[in-house]
Amino acid sequence: MRRLVPAIPGLWLALFVAAPLLVVLALSLSWPAEGVPPFTLPWSGEEGPNTETYALALGDPYYRGAFLDALLVACGTAGLCLALALPMALGLVRAPSRWRMPLLALLLLPFWTGFLPRIGAWIGLLRDEGWINTLLQSAGLIEAPLPLLYSWPALFLGMVHAYLPFAVLPLYVTLSRLDPAVQEAAADLGATPWVAFRSVTLPLAAPGLAAAFLLVFIPAAGEYVIPELLGPPERRSWPAASCSRNSSRTATGRWRRRWRCCCCWCCCCRSGCSSGWSSSHEPRAAGAARPRRGSAVPLAAGAAAGGLCLQRCAHPLPVGRLLAALVRSPRRE
């Protein structure tokens, strides 16, 4: 029985982490084929694994630039989250016991609201006619509205707001297990609070810092919604780049290349996949029939900002029906 308990986490990781990654890896090395599914697995034929997608992703400057932009956003988001999460976790640990649960509840309070309404709220605050520019103009501090929306600060503001709790919680767990006597001993030996924090607390919190960095970096590297709704128009998003650039003259060829590029990205970073981008974003008129599967359904926040549309995938496979593609409509001329 004692040997069975440690094997449960390993079985969980094997079924829900390793197995999906192996499936996505096999799909990324597959060959295009006619029919359903539109690919042939590497071991089904004599050609062997198909590495054209990886060569395209590494050799094409368009994809390489989008990949570097995604890493820049992920590293910046993780760094900002760590810089804010560490003092917040220290404050939670050193707070009186009766205040810890209310403070943790306030930390998780944003998750009580949907993801898209939160992003829509930031759009309402940062746009030219939003609350921030309106208050600054009413106070006489500025004459013209500041370009807050569709900028790098707005992008990182939305990313940090979305992923900050994922950095605070592992740091809080790590710091709460530290022995306060160690810091008291450092103070007795003449160490200042900053020296004690740098030489005692920070090294002991290294596992929590590493876990917080990975919990933020991995999903932020594949984030699509926040950069498209809040980020600058000239930025190239890797999920969008892997699925929006035409690489074939036929729709079938474009779909195959998009599918394989998505699988290539998933193998490099995360066990998720985004596919099936479309450019259709016509709103549904009042009283019109419900859109069929495969049509685009505009979201309220994206329609108001001219930026977001949710498409229902019409792929016949079960995994295809679970995928939804976020489509950007033109925001600026």
Side-chain angles (χ1 to χ4, degrees), residues 62-75:
Y62 180 82
Y63 294 113
R64 188 166 58 246
F67 181 72
L68 293 178
D69 285 347
L71 292 182
L72 173 64
V73 172
C75 290

Side-chain angles (χ1 to χ4, degrees), residues 25-76:
L25 177 62
L27 292 176
S28 67
L29 297 175
S30 62
W31 291 90
E34 297 293 338
V36 177
F39 56 84
T40 302
L41 295 176
W43 56 82
S44 300
E46 300 178 355
E47 297 87 352
N50 183 10
T51 59
E52 294 179 358
T53 305
Y54 289 93
L56 176 66
L58 297 176
D60 196 319
Y62 180 82
Y63 294 113
R64 188 166 58 246
F67 181 72
L68 293 178
D69 285 347
L71 292 182
L72 173 64
V73 172
C75 290

Side-chain angles (χ1 to χ4, degrees), residues 38-304:
F39 56 84
T40 302
L41 295 176
W43 56 82
S44 300
E46 300 178 355
E47 297 87 352
N50 183 10
T51 59
E52 294 179 358
T53 305
Y54 289 93
L56 176 66
L58 297 176
D60 196 319
Y62 180 82
Y63 294 113
R64 188 166 58 246
F67 181 72
L68 293 178
D69 285 347
L71 292 182
L72 173 64
V73 172
C75 290
T77 302
L80 291 174
C81 286
L82 288 182
L84 295 175
L86 188 57
M88 293 176 63
L90 283 173
L92 288 172
V93 170
R94 297 177 181 179
S97 57
R98 66 178 183 274
W99 287 103
R100 290 181 184 175
M101 291 305 297
L103 291 175
L104 286 174
L106 290 176
L107 175 66
L108 300 176
L109 189 62
F111 289 103
W112 297 6
T113 308
F115 177 74
L116 288 178
R118 283 185 280 153
I119 303 303
W122 280 117
I123 294 176
L125 289 172
L126 299 175
R127 62 195 182 110
D128 294 344
E129 299 82 11
W131 289 9
I132 296 179
N133 278 317
T134 301
L135 290 176
L136 293 177
Q137 287 179 320
S138 301
L141 299 178
I142 58 174
E143 296 181 358
L146 297 176
L148 302 177
L149 192 59
Y150 307 135
S151 62
W152 284 100
L155 188 153
F156 282 110
L157 184 62
M159 295 287 286
V160 171
H161 173 256
Y163 292 106
L164 183 59
F166 295 102
V168 176
L169 292 178
L171 283 174
Y172 169 74
V173 173
T174 302
L175 294 174
S176 62
R177 296 178 180 177
L178 299 182
D179 189 359
V182 179
Q183 298 179 354
E184 296 175 358
D188 294 339
L189 294 175
T192 62
W194 168 247
V195 173
F197 171 78
R198 186 185 59 186
S199 59
V200 177
T201 305
L202 201 59
L204 294 177
L209 290 171
F213 182 86
L214 291 178
L215 284 176
V216 175
F217 177 84
I218 293 176
E223 180 61 49
Y224 176 77
V225 180
I226 299 177
E228 288 298 303
L229 291 183
L230 301 179
E234 67 275 5
R235 180 188 171 273
R236 292 170 293 181
S237 173
W238 171 256
S242 62
C243 295
S244 63
R245 191 176 187 184
N246 294 335
S247 57
S248 176
R249 294 182 180 179
T250 63
T252 305
R254 288 197 298 270
W255 191 92
R256 291 171 184 163
R257 183 59 61 90
R258 293 168 185 176
W259 175 265
R260 289 161 52 202
C261 286
C262 288
C263 294
C264 171
W265 168 243
C266 294
C267 292
C268 297
C269 186
R270 57 190 297 187
S271 59
C273 181
S274 55
S275 65
W277 264 253
S278 172
S279 59
S280 175
H281 56 275
E282 294 297 331
R284 181 161 60 108
R290 184 181 181 88
R292 295 175 297 174
R293 187 177 64 182
S295 60
V297 181
L299 301 178

